[in-house]
Amino acid sequence: MRKITYSLLILAALAPMASMAADMPPPVHGPMQRPMHGGPRAEWMRNAPVPMLMPIVWRHAIELKLTPQQESQLETWRKDQREQWGTQRQAMESHNHALQTALLRGETGSALKPLEDAVLADHQAMLQRGIAQVAFVHKLLNAEQWQKVTAIYAKMERGPKWGGWHKP
């Protein structure tokens, strides 16, 4: 008897909350409601000096009607770049950490110069990687495919802000 009464008390206490929840709209956070290019990384990409076209090519491969040879070249490029990036990223993290540590220790002048140079060289290498990627995509695609990719990129640039969801 006590067990049943206790259960009924809990249900009675939760009933108003259940009716309130029924009146509330469902949360908007499912995969179809999120923007395709949202988030902090997307904001960085929007301001990047080099357009990031490779993700567009991968997402729109069917629409672009890539040939098997193009797909093979893309996969080879991706594999090679992934291997190179792993090594480059480790070096970048090491250089960044060394500069941070030196700054926090209060070092100045000649002690910082080689660390700054290493970080700047890393940024230069990243810039060159981005430019090489765009050149690769441009060389890989035919004129019609290139026009489609650049049109998609332009539409993304003109579209709603990258971090927010806007209903049509």
Side-chain angles (χ1 to χ4, degrees):
M1 175 95 169
R2 182 174 273 243
K3 194 175 200 179
I4 294 172
T5 307
Y6 184 69
S7 297
L8 291 174
L9 286 174
I10 291 174
L11 287 175
L14 294 177
M17 287 185 233
S19 66
M20 287 180 0
D23 295 337
M24 296 172 60
V28 182
H29 55 69
M32 297 306 289
Q33 287 87 16
R34 288 184 288 153
M36 185 168 77
H37 303 287
R41 184 172 179 197
E43 188 60 34
W44 172 83
M45 287 174 58
R46 178 182 172 145
N47 295 313
V50 178
M52 297 303 203
L53 301 179
M54 191 65 75
I56 294 171
V57 173
W58 282 108
R59 282 191 189 106
H60 298 273
I62 294 171
E63 178 186 338
L64 294 171
K65 299 177 184 164
L66 296 178
T67 66
Q69 182 183 11
Q70 287 174 316
E71 288 180 6
S72 174
Q73 290 174 334
L74 276 170
E75 191 58 46
T76 300
W77 170 270
R78 182 184 219 179
K79 182 182 174 202
D80 293 345
Q81 294 301 308
R82 186 176 291 153
E83 291 171 7
Q84 292 174 17
W85 174 241
T87 305
Q88 189 178 12
R89 191 189 80 231
Q90 289 174 348
M92 282 178 43
E93 289 173 356
S94 174
H95 296 148
N96 289 348
H97 181 70
L99 181 58
Q100 289 171 0
T101 302
L103 289 167
L104 291 172
R105 288 183 181 161
E107 296 181 24
T108 59
S110 63
L112 292 180
K113 182 68 174 138
L115 302 174
E116 290 176 46
D117 290 345
V119 169
L120 289 173
D122 292 338
H123 284 270
Q124 178 66 26
M126 282 182 57
L127 178 63
Q128 293 306 314
R129 282 175 60 89
I131 292 170
Q133 184 185 95
V134 173
F136 170 76
V137 169
H138 195 203
K139 182 180 172 186
L140 177 76
L141 301 178
N142 64 36
E144 182 183 339
Q145 292 168 326
W146 176 253
Q147 285 180 335
K148 285 182 182 180
V149 167
T150 56
I152 292 167
Y153 182 81
K155 184 178 178 183
M156 288 168 48
E157 285 292 297
R158 286 190 315 267
K161 297 292 182 198
W162 291 50
W165 170 254
H166 301 278
K167 291 186 179 178

